[in-house]
Amino acid sequence: MVVGEMSEHTDVVVIGSGPAGYVAAIRAGQLGKMVTLVEKDPVGLGGLCLHHGCIPSKALIHTANVFWDCTHSKDQGINVSLATLDMQKTQEFKRSVIEKLTNGIKALLDKAGVDIVYGRAEFVSSTELHIEQEHDTMGLTADKIIIATGGKENTLPTIPFDGKTVLRSTEILDLETIPSSLAIAGSGYIAMEMAHTFQKFGSKVTIIHRSPTILSNMDAKVGELMQRQLENFGVTFWKNTEIITGEKNARGIDLHLETKEGVKETVPFEKVLVAVGRSPQTELLGLKNTQAKIDERGYIIINEKCQTSDPHILAIGDITNGPALAHRAMYMGKIAAEVCVGLPSAFDAQVVPGVIYSDPEMAWVGMQEPDAVKSGRSFISGTFPYSASGRSLGANRPIGFVKVLADPNSHLILGGLIVGAHASDMIAELGLAIEMGARLEDVSGTIHPHPTYNEAILEACESALKKCVHLPGGK
């Protein structure tokens, strides 16, 4: 704390206003606590997810899909000869969505009685923060402090970010002109989503990745299907490849590439997106002045109640080890707030669903086949293809499938994988089934409306039970 600085006191301080932080602040306020929410970005209420991640990316993905459908629907009798993309107008649409949601979060915080302070917070002790603001500093003490500072993009030392040619995943979402050529370094979900989006917008996209496959932590069939679909859209792949260095020029950047086989080539691109993972933002928090501990990767160590090893400090969201997903962060925010008021809350969710908003979408929850095989867990599975779904065919979305894993004896549902249109909207049914201890018979015995995409979940469960009537031989 700065000498002479006056400190204010509150019941709960939340550092960071992303999905974890603002939810924690609102819930603590609802429960009657005096709450102060500290956000370092004066225009960043809602965090990276709202301003530079989840929401703007989905707005652009939607626009790209509409644009693609306008120009690729001749088989359905739709001929659009003059479809053009006004990227500046697209960005205006994206910003309008962000503004509406930001205003909504602000209204909810106001309703819950949450005070908002803009500035960068650093621990002076376990219960005291120094907050550096634009033109001033302040001290703030609290009975409980919840850390929700999220993560940051990893860099590639060979091509450091410059915000113009070499872009972060947050920066590419703000482009107002479409690059003629785009290299994407990485093979995870952000790389897949942006490859689909900018290829549909008109860029010539190339994915460069060190691994032999994309989405290597998932079922091999998923990566194969994703690569095949991206190639159908026109995306090029450089697998087992390192970016040795990059030379910027008036046209963009020349990337010097080298494969594991020793093949070297220099390829020009207008822009490069680096999407090689994220790391927790803990280094500037002053945690050395507290009893909170971090692991070898920089994540804050917590228990099932989101409590750190310091009795005054909790941590939630992407700064803790686990899937870096907004919905997990929100779930943790509610838990942390309730723990702060003495309620018996804990992270007891059995599963956390994941989604890739590609084309087709991919969503999964619970145990996946590679995990089961690796652990020696016995299972039965059922699969139903979108190509056998009347709803999928009628919507000209025939690519994909639903796969369900279950215990061979009890038929309890263990996990599910959906690849296809509306996978993101459907996966929660399988998540609910797992949380409730549902069996294959429970889902297959639930009447699903026809024709719908969700019928494929019922059919996959019946396939696992060897009684699917819409597949040859009941399989």
Side-chain angles (χ1 to χ4, degrees):
M1 186 174 69
V2 176
V3 175
E5 179 182 275
M6 297 295 293
S7 287
E8 300 179 11
H9 183 79
T10 188
D11 296 330
V12 178
V13 171
V14 181
I15 307 173
S17 72
Y22 84 74
V23 168
I26 291 171
R27 184 66 182 131
Q30 290 174 341
L31 292 169
K33 290 294 183 181
M34 289 175 49
V35 183
T36 299
L37 176 63
V38 181
E39 168 55 50
K40 67 179 181 180
D41 186 352
V43 294
L45 193 64
L48 183 143
C49 175
L50 174 53
H51 293 272
H52 307 290
C54 318
I55 301 304
S57 66
K58 303 314 169 285
L60 295 190
I61 288 169
H62 170 74
T63 301
N65 289 339
V66 171
F67 182 55
W68 181 267
D69 287 344
C70 282
T71 55
H72 293 79
S73 298
K74 292 182 178 180
D75 291 344
Q76 299 167 70
I78 300 174
N79 293 291
V80 181
S81 58
L82 296 176
T84 59
L85 178 69
D86 184 341
M87 198 60 185
Q88 292 185 350
K89 191 70 175 178
T90 296
Q91 289 291 357
E92 289 177 12
F93 164 70
K94 182 202 77 177
R95 287 190 288 268
S96 72
V97 173
I98 294 171
E99 182 180 2
K100 289 175 185 176
L101 291 173
T102 303
N103 290 338
I105 291 172
K106 178 65 165 60
L108 290 170
L109 289 165
D110 289 342
K111 183 71 175 179
V114 176
D115 290 327
I116 303 172
V117 172
Y118 292 101
R120 187 180 69 80
E122 183 177 356
F123 282 93
V124 177
S125 69
S126 298
T127 59
E128 188 172 5
L129 295 169
H130 169 75
I131 300 174
E132 183 179 340
Q133 300 176 289
E134 185 177 4
H135 301 296
D136 203 357
T137 62
M138 68 175 290
L140 190 61
T141 62
D143 301 324
K144 299 290 183 181
I145 299 176
I146 302 173
I147 305 173
T149 49
K152 60 183 179 181
E153 295 94 337
N154 292 337
T155 63
L156 277 181
T158 53
I159 47 169
F161 295 120
D162 64 6
K164 297 179 180 179
T165 304
V166 182
L167 307 175
R168 295 174 170 85
S169 59
T170 55
E171 294 166 337
I172 196 169
L173 300 175
D174 292 330
L175 292 181
E176 295 201 351
T177 58
I178 300 301
S180 59
S181 57
L182 173 68
I184 300 179
S187 60
Y189 75 94
I190 292 177
M192 299 303 105
E193 290 180 354
M194 292 299 97
H196 273 106
T197 300
F198 280 87
Q199 186 72 28
K200 288 181 175 181
F201 278 154
S203 295
K204 175 54 183 167
V205 176
T206 300
I207 295 178
I208 303 166
H209 55 104
R210 298 173 177 175
S211 57
T213 60
I214 60 172
L215 303 175
S216 54
N217 61 334
M218 298 184 67
D219 190 316
K221 294 179 181 178
V222 172
E224 292 169 4
L225 189 152
M226 175 70 81
Q227 180 162 339
R228 187 164 58 249
Q229 276 296 98
L230 283 166
E231 288 173 339
N232 288 340
F233 284 120
V235 175
T236 302
F237 286 83
W238 279 72
K239 67 178 182 179
N240 293 322
T241 300
E242 295 275 358
I243 299 176
I244 304 303
T245 188
E247 295 180 10
K248 297 175 188 175
N249 51 54
R251 303 180 308 278
I253 187 169
D254 291 333
L255 293 184
H256 300 287
L257 310 177
E258 183 174 353
T259 69
K260 286 185 178 179
E261 294 77 24
V263 176
K264 297 181 180 180
E265 189 166 339
T266 299
V267 185
F269 296 97
E270 184 177 339
K271 305 282 186 185
V272 181
L273 166 65
V274 176
V276 292
R278 299 178 62 81
S279 301
Q281 294 197 95
T282 54
E283 65 275 5
L284 299 178
L285 285 171
L287 291 177
K288 64 181 182 297
N289 299 319
T290 75
Q291 299 176 49
K293 305 299 182 185
I294 62 175
D295 66 16
E296 65 279 1
R297 294 185 295 168
Y299 292 107
I300 298 177
I301 299 171
I302 59 170
N303 61 17
E304 73 282 357
K305 293 182 176 293
C306 301
Q307 297 166 319
T308 71
S309 48
D310 191 308
H312 299 283
I313 301 173
L314 300 89
I316 53 179
D318 294 359
I319 46 132
T320 65
N321 190 19
L325 300 169
H327 41 281
R328 171 180 174 265
M330 291 179 179
Y331 186 92
M332 296 177 79
K334 296 170 188 174
I335 293 167
E338 292 172 1
V339 168
C340 283
V341 303
L343 294 178
S345 296
F347 195 105
D348 58 1
Q350 295 186 54
V351 291
V352 178
V355 178
I356 301 175
Y357 294 85
S358 50
D359 186 1
E361 290 185 349
M362 300 186 177
W364 60 94
V365 67
M367 181 173 288
Q368 300 300 301
E369 185 168 338
D371 304 324
V373 171
K374 185 177 180 179
S375 65
R377 177 72 155 87
S378 59
F379 64 92
I380 57 174
S381 65
T383 303
F384 190 80
Y386 268 44
S387 58
S389 163
R391 182 72 177 91
S392 301
L393 293 173
N396 197 30
R397 294 290 186 271
I399 296 172
F401 60 87
V402 173
K403 183 176 184 178
V404 177
L405 271 65
D407 182 85
N409 299 312
S410 67
H411 292 176
L412 283 173
I413 296 174
L414 303 175
L417 170 65
I418 305 176
V419 178
H422 298 280
S424 59
D425 302 314
M426 295 162 58
I427 197 64
E429 179 177 348
L430 289 172
L432 178 62
I434 296 170
E435 291 288 349
M436 295 187 68
R439 301 172 303 137
L440 294 169
E441 290 86 352
D442 296 319
V443 177
S444 68
T446 300
I447 297 176
H448 288 58
H450 174 78
T452 60
Y453 290 101
N454 291 74
E455 283 179 293
I457 296 176
L458 177 153
E459 301 280 7
C461 289
E462 291 194 337
S463 173
L465 293 168
K466 309 298 183 186
K467 65 174 192 177
C468 181
V469 300
H470 289 111
L471 290 178
K475 298 181 180 179

